[in-house]
Amino acid sequence: MTRAEVARWARGCSLAAVVAFPASLLAQGPATQTPGQDAPLLSVPIPPAGTLVAITNATILTASHGTIENGTVLIRNGKIAAVGANVTVPAGAKIIDGKGKYVMPGIIDAHSHSAGEAINEGTRSVTAQVRMQDVIREDAIGLWRELAGGVTSLNILHGSANTIGGQNVVVKIRWGLPVDSMVFEGAPPGIKFALGENVRQTNGPQIPGRTQRYPRTRMGQEEVLRDAFTRAREYQAEWKKYEAEKKALKKGQLEPIPPARDLQLDALVEVLEGKRLVHAHSYRSDEILMLLRVAKDFGFRVASLQHVLEGYKIADEIAAAGTGASTFADNWAYKLEAYDAIPFNAALMAERGVVVTINSDSDERARRLYQEAAKAMKYGGASEETAIRMITLNAAIQLGIDKMTGSIDVGKDADIAIFNGHPFAPASRVEMTLIDGRVFFDRNNAPTLENLIQQLRRPRVTTSEGVQ
């Protein structure tokens, strides 16, 4: 593609398409491509390992122990080795000058559908056996854009078509590495539940002749939950009986026959045993209370309520249940069950002791979660650190990964976002995003629109081989 062709192409494309175009290709001649083979949408170098890195002279928003002025973060083998105002930088360290910049923990999006080739398995009311891990892509362009917004980890959830949906997967956005490398090692497994209009399928046109799926009412949703966990308890008891009989087996006795394996109930037994976290799509306060009662009756905890737009009405009950709340900053009235939502929701729940996060539920919104979190300060007067935690440490707590990431503390993974100004300032943007100390996004050499324009404006030089 010649420079003139690129210019014509850029003028006729959307902004998103231009940003996705690799700027490095502008300096190349005609591409050599195997017939029938598609060129990658976005090709960037795989970053070197973060063996020894120091971010110096920066304002550090730790999310756990306040702000450090003119501080240094020392990274060794992908982990934070030291942080403070008087950190000695060892010889040989790669220096990232943070003068005039702000450093914060990498943003964690507690509700994402990025990179999923499928979102909903909506044919049944209970689909606990399906896994988002089986359908994620490492080359989804939304991931790259989220890196450019300082996002380092995602909770990729099944959709909200089912009372009990599929299993989620927590990932780190290790762009350019194989898809298996994205999975967050050590993150507890989880599962998506959903309540309300989506599950009842009452917020869209009814197709004549099509059999309606159960449930169609909120009382039906509760019955689905209780029935599923009753079956899970019975299944759990069968396996415990089998294991006890097998353990007590004496020489010469026939080995007992194991129960039939049920992948759906396996996941629900893990919920009962506290080994799998529940993340529940919800809006109305009455349905939230119903779910919390069901969880109490069956002895498990709901890790997070997703959306939870009426959470401010029952914040004390949510806090007492030890349940987190992951909400929008200021979305409301986009459907009937969202009419009572208010932008003060996040701050009010946080005041009552709920662990609150601001999520995206959107590839687009995920690029600017730092601006979404700032709204909690405007609506409800949350403190700066409380707002920062809503997209970092609190999300890590909800996902059970707070011992590994979510704040800038010694021993944690070096998942870090570097801004050219305060993250909550309107004109600020991410300059660099590190995961495990590796620079996965650097605005100085990333294929951004600005770099594309700079390439187009470079003086053309005529040589014996033509225009360069």
Side-chain angles (χ1 to χ4, degrees), residues 30 101 109 148 173-174 203 232 247 257 263 293 316 329 353 369 377-378 411 436 456 465:
K101 294 180 171 57
D109 189 354
I173 309 177
R174 298 185 176 107
N203 52 5
K247 187 176 182 180
I257 299 174
L263 298 180
R293 283 195 298 268
D316 289 342
L369 275 175
M377 298 179 69
K378 175 179 174 58
D436 303 318
L456 291 173
E465 296 179 357

Side-chain angles (χ1 to χ4, degrees), residues 78-393:
K79 302 286 186 180
I80 298 173
V83 56
N86 298 299
V87 174
T88 301
V89 178
K94 175 186 175 182
I95 305 296
I96 298 174
D97 187 5
K99 186 176 182 180
K101 294 180 171 57
Y102 284 72
V103 174
M104 66 173 283
I107 294 170
I108 303 171
D109 189 354
H111 187 132
S112 173
H113 300 295
S114 295
E117 289 193 314
I119 305 300
N120 278 299
E121 175 52 67
T123 54
R124 298 181 182 180
S125 294
V126 179
T127 59
Q129 67 273 26
V130 302
R131 309 191 315 164
M132 291 305 298
Q133 183 174 339
D134 296 330
V135 292
I136 57 173
R137 295 181 62 107
E138 79 282 6
D139 59 350
I141 192 62
L143 297 177
W144 174 256
R145 293 168 179 154
E146 287 157 11
L147 276 175
V151 180
T152 55
S153 296
L154 305 170
N155 180 26
I156 301 179
L157 290 164
H158 186 273
S160 54
N162 331 74
T163 303
I164 299 177
Q167 301 170 29
N168 67 301
V169 59
V170 179
V171 304
K172 288 194 179 188
I173 309 177
R174 298 185 176 107
W175 179 270
L177 299 183
V179 67
D180 290 347
S181 302
M182 290 175 57
V183 178
F184 197 127
E185 186 177 353
I191 190 168
K192 176 74 174 292
F193 285 14
L195 306 171
E197 294 178 15
N198 290 16
V199 175
R200 295 186 292 116
Q201 299 182 335
T202 57
N203 52 5
Q206 303 304 317
I207 302 174
R210 179 180 176 181
T211 302
Q212 298 301 312
R213 193 195 67 187
Y214 179 82
R216 291 281 290 171
T217 66
R218 283 184 167 81
M219 62 182 175
Q221 290 179 60
E222 180 171 356
E223 189 280 331
V224 167
L225 288 166
R226 293 188 178 276
D227 174 73
F229 280 105
T230 298
R231 290 186 289 113
R233 271 183 174 175
E234 294 170 352
Y235 178 73
Q236 180 188 42
E238 290 176 4
W239 274 98
K240 286 183 176 179
K241 179 182 177 184
Y242 164 73
E243 295 294 346
E245 291 176 352
K246 186 177 178 180
K247 187 176 182 180
L249 189 67
K250 296 180 180 179
K251 187 176 181 180
Q253 291 181 325
L254 292 175
E255 186 171 325
I257 299 174
R261 178 64 66 189
D262 189 316
L263 298 180
Q264 181 184 105
L265 294 179
D266 280 341
L268 298 183
V269 168
E270 290 175 343
V271 172
L272 291 173
E273 295 176 346
K275 299 175 181 177
R276 184 173 294 277
L277 304 179
V278 172
H279 305 289
H281 163 113
S282 56
Y283 285 89
R284 284 177 29 171
S285 57
D286 54 350
E287 66 188 17
I288 293 169
L289 290 175
M290 176 273 289
L291 176 61
L292 295 180
R293 283 195 298 268
V294 171
K296 183 177 181 180
D297 289 347
F298 284 91
F300 67 89
R301 180 180 69 90
V302 177
S304 73
L305 296 163
Q306 300 291 321
H307 310 315
V308 60
L309 297 189
E310 291 187 18
Y312 65 94
K313 297 181 180 180
I314 52 169
D316 289 342
E317 289 81 357
I318 295 172
T323 296
S326 190
T327 190
F328 295 134
D330 57 356
N331 285 22
W332 64 84
Y334 49 87
K335 58 180 177 176
L336 186 62
E337 60 188 359
Y339 267 39
D340 275 5
I342 59 174
F344 297 87
N345 189 39
L348 289 174
M349 288 191 292
E351 281 183 12
R352 307 303 295 183
V354 180
V355 176
V356 177
T357 59
I358 302 293
N359 69 54
S360 77
D361 195 14
S362 159
D363 287 1
E364 190 279 325
R365 191 181 295 115
R367 300 179 303 127
R368 48 183 173 84
L369 275 175
Y370 49 94
Q371 294 177 338
E372 296 294 291
K375 295 174 183 178
M377 298 179 69
K378 175 179 174 58
Y379 300 113
S383 69
E384 177 188 285
E385 185 159 273
T386 296
I388 288 286
R389 288 181 179 181
M390 288 181 179
I391 51 173
T392 56
L393 185 56

